[in-house]
Amino acid sequence: LDQLRAMDTRGTTPLLLLDVDLPALDGYSIFEALQTAHPGKFRVVFTTVHGSEAEQLRGLEAGAIDYLVKPMSLRVALEKIRRWVGR
């Protein structure tokens, strides 16, 4: 989290894939901390095995640009990433 906060992103808005179920700090908490310190610094996509409608809406309502449910097709994930980064 400290490294993300310190990252120099001038002129860019990096795409950050955040797993919801991280061992020390969950993805939602990381995203909230980043948004509090540096609103809009990152575009976030949550990834998780929790694919319920409620969980997906939670991620999107938190401000993520998308929500990927695992397991996922690598080809589909790569195509989505290409679209998110504009390539």
Side-chain angles (χ1 to χ4, degrees):
L1 181 56
D2 291 336
Q3 290 176 344
L4 289 170
R5 284 184 180 142
M7 188 181 211
D8 181 7
T9 61
R10 284 178 285 189
T12 65
T13 308
L15 178 67
L16 182 60
L17 298 177
L18 268 179
D19 196 310
V20 170
D21 294 320
L22 296 171
L25 190 59
D26 68 273
Y28 293 119
S29 297
I30 291 171
F31 185 52
E32 183 178 336
L34 289 172
Q35 285 295 90
T36 299
H38 306 283
K41 183 175 184 174
F42 295 96
R43 292 173 293 153
V44 170
V45 174
F46 285 116
T47 64
T48 185
V49 296
H50 307 292
S52 72
E53 180 180 273
E55 279 297 315
Q56 291 180 58
L57 286 171
R58 179 181 177 197
L60 295 171
E61 289 169 354
I65 62 171
D66 210 340
Y67 191 99
L68 292 177
V69 179
K70 298 184 277 185
M72 67 188 89
S73 156
L74 180 59
R75 289 178 60 193
V76 170
L78 289 173
E79 183 57 35
K80 285 187 174 198
I81 290 169
R82 282 186 196 97
R83 291 168 189 250
W84 295 323
V85 298
R87 295 185 186 137

